[in-house]
Amino acid sequence: MFAALLPALSAGVPLSCQKETPVQHEKPQAPRGFVPIADKESTVRVLIVGSAQDVLLAVNGSYQIADNASNILEQGQLLARSKVSVDYSGIRIGGKCYKVNELRIKSTRDGAIEVNNVPYRGGVSLSQQPDNKLFVIEETEIEDFVTGVVGSEMPHLWNDEAHCAQAVAVRTYTMYKKKARRSEKYHLDMQDLAYRGMAGESPRLSDLVLKTKGLVMTYNGNIFPAYFHSACGGHTEDVSHVFRDESILPLSGVLCKYCSNSKYAKWKRDISKSVIEKKLRDSNVAVSNIRSIKTLDPGYGNHGSRVEIVYAGGSKEMGANDFRLLVGPNILCSTAFSAKSSGNNIAFSGNGWGHGVGLCQHGAQTMAKKGFKWSDIINYYYPKNELMRVY
Ligand SMILES: [Zn+2]
């Protein structure tokens, strides 16, 4: 049997200022497609490198290399930094070839396994893909993973309550993905969130994550994908508007007055038309001689749902979030933009950083500085959520 409800926590603490009550929009009360929590396993599988030609691997301690049937193929005390690649004959680590399509590496010491110079706990698997590319998947404890993500997603100097709110959001998102992708090789990848393994951890963050250990948010008894982003720019977005997920109250969007002092509240960026055209072509969207780009169907926070690209040969529409990811999420800060053609460039100006759904991290930090608790913060950005302890 799983989890006991925590009604005292789920009620949350009302915000002190009436005018800051989240704006709630009428939404369906019985979401479909959400995944109930039913999995007690305490580990998560994370794709840390996907479709690579090669990676650098080192183990700074005693280790074992096994195949996917757990047969030990090699063990040693130290593996010097080596290039890992795959070819028709198997997986190569340095000069040695293992005639298998998957290897599992375990170390007895946390942080001893380094992949591309980033330290990871527990163990990693290396697997050969049909195109002779390499996948590297870490299997780690959820609480350690949450700590690593919190330290990668938020500056370490931010306030405790912001870190605790982020921890609950990360754990909820992780548990949701773990259930939704339970039969897949991995549950999460680096498109989902920022994660730098143990490099994101610190003793203080571990203590803060421990304060909320096992707590996740639910709605109508179901765990949901508790998205988070850097800065919303004034109003968070409805999940259905950005990701086409079913809309539910906790992900329906709220007014946010807390991120206006962020450096990402307003931004401008000139991007070369030829760069955009190449990135579109690389994803099989054939456009040339772009004339204009505009967002369509803006949401509560002005993030476009779709983008129209007018070019010499006609026009195309695509999902705004897809367009942003394709151009580069660190280049095109958000989809709440207007764009003007300016010679060889498109001049973008917009609001916020990230997709705009769920927790606004800069808003969370401002709330923490104003004295709000982590429960206030998650109840603000995920209205009507109910906390549940899953372990
Ligand atoms: Zn915000």
Side-chain angles (χ1 to χ4, degrees):
M1 189 59 202
F2 214 62
L5 274 170
L6 297 177
L9 283 168
S10 71
V13 181
L15 295 177
S16 58
C17 181
Q18 188 60 41
K19 68 183 179 185
E20 291 172 340
T21 299
V23 175
Q24 292 168 9
H25 310 282
E26 201 171 317
K27 296 297 161 198
Q29 293 299 303
R32 298 182 304 277
F34 281 77
V35 183
I37 310 164
D39 186 354
K40 275 186 168 176
E41 240 180 64
S42 63
T43 57
V44 61
R45 296 190 299 276
V46 186
L47 180 71
I48 53 177
V49 179
S51 289
Q53 293 286 353
D54 52 63
V55 297
L56 286 176
L57 174 75
V59 189
N60 303 310
S62 60
Y63 68 92
Q64 285 184 343
I65 300 178
D67 63 16
N68 60 5
S70 300
N71 299 307
I72 296 170
L73 306 178
E74 186 176 329
Q75 42 197 344
Q77 293 300 316
L78 182 79
L79 181 68
R81 187 163 289 121
S82 310
K83 187 167 106 171
V84 180
S85 60
V86 292
D87 59 28
Y88 62 91
S89 53
I91 300 175
R92 290 180 183 278
I93 301 180
K96 187 161 182 178
C97 181
Y98 298 86
K99 295 181 179 175
V100 293
N101 56 19
E102 184 173 330
L103 287 174
R104 295 177 183 184
I105 301 168
K106 277 194 182 300
S107 173
T108 52
R109 186 165 67 77
D110 285 344
I113 300 178
E114 290 184 8
V115 178
N116 289 342
N117 302 315
V118 177
Y120 293 94
R121 289 180 184 275
V124 300
S125 68
L126 311 168
S127 60
Q128 181 175 22
Q129 300 307 297
D131 57 359
N132 273 344
K133 297 275 179 67
L134 192 61
F135 269 22
V136 185
I137 295 168
E138 181 198 20
E139 182 156 4
T140 188
E141 292 292 322
I142 289 176
E143 295 300 310
D144 292 331
F145 177 67
V146 169
T147 308
V149 174
V150 171
S152 304
E153 284 278 347
M154 280 185 167
H156 284 225
L157 291 174
W158 279 14
N159 290 36
D160 291 2
E161 300 299 320
H163 283 138
C164 288
Q166 177 73 83
V168 176
V170 173
R171 188 181 299 106
T172 304
Y173 187 82
T174 300
M175 295 291 283
Y176 172 84
K177 295 287 277 193
K178 190 169 145 61
K179 284 300 298 173
R181 293 179 55 84
R182 58 192 172 280
S183 45
E184 307 290 330
K185 281 180 86 74
Y186 59 89
H187 305 122
L188 295 120
D189 64 32
M190 295 300 104
Q191 298 267 333
D192 290 303
L193 31 71
Y195 176 56
R196 294 179 292 121
M198 288 185 68
E201 296 180 13
S202 73
R204 175 181 156 268
L205 283 181
S206 297
D207 288 346
L208 289 174
V209 169
L210 195 60
K211 281 174 68 175
T212 67
K213 183 179 176 182
L215 289 176
V216 298
M217 290 177 280
T218 64
Y219 180 68
N220 279 357
N222 293 320
I223 196 163
F224 60 86
Y227 291 101
F228 45 87
H229 61 280
S230 182
C232 70
H235 200 300
T236 63
E237 292 292 358
D238 189 301
V239 68
S240 66
H241 180 78
V242 176
F243 295 114
R244 304 285 182 269
D245 292 356
E246 182 116 14
S247 183
I248 56 167
L249 270 171
L251 296 174
S252 59
V254 298
L255 181 68
C256 174
K257 296 176 179 172
Y258 298 114
C259 62
S260 56
N261 58 355
S262 140
K263 61 182 176 181
Y264 308 120
K266 291 187 186 308
W267 53 267
K268 289 183 184 297
R269 191 68 56 94
D270 286 356
I271 306 177
S272 156
K273 290 176 183 174
S274 60
V275 167
I276 298 171
E277 287 162 6
K278 179 171 188 317
K279 292 194 171 187
L280 289 167
R281 278 199 305 274
D282 288 348
S283 294
N284 298 318
V285 182
V287 298
S288 55
N289 299 317
I290 291 176
R291 291 178 178 161
S292 68
I293 295 174
K294 70 173 178 183
T295 57
L296 304 172
D297 187 21
Y300 304 122
N302 211 32
H303 294 75
S305 177
R306 288 169 293 123
V307 161
E308 182 192 54
I309 304 152
V310 178
Y311 62 104
S315 69
K316 282 193 191 295
E317 277 187 33
M318 62 190 301
N321 196 55
D322 296 335
F323 175 74
R324 174 174 173 251
L325 294 177
L326 205 145
V327 173
N330 296 324
I331 299 171
L332 189 59
C333 305
S334 76
T335 59
F337 65 75
S338 59
K340 278 202 307 199
S341 176
S342 173
N344 294 327
N345 294 335
I346 299 287
F348 291 90
S349 57
N351 299 83
W353 187 297
H355 50 63
V357 181
L359 181 79
C360 167
Q361 293 166 329
H362 280 267
Q365 167 63 357
T366 302
M367 286 184 76
K369 288 203 305 204
K370 285 175 178 282
F372 289 102
K373 300 298 180 193
W374 65 264
S375 54
D376 301 332
I377 298 170
I378 62 164
N379 287 334
Y380 189 87
Y381 286 104
Y382 305 100
K384 304 292 183 191
N385 82 82
E386 293 182 340
L387 279 181
M388 179 180 276
R389 191 181 294 285
V390 292
Y391 47 74

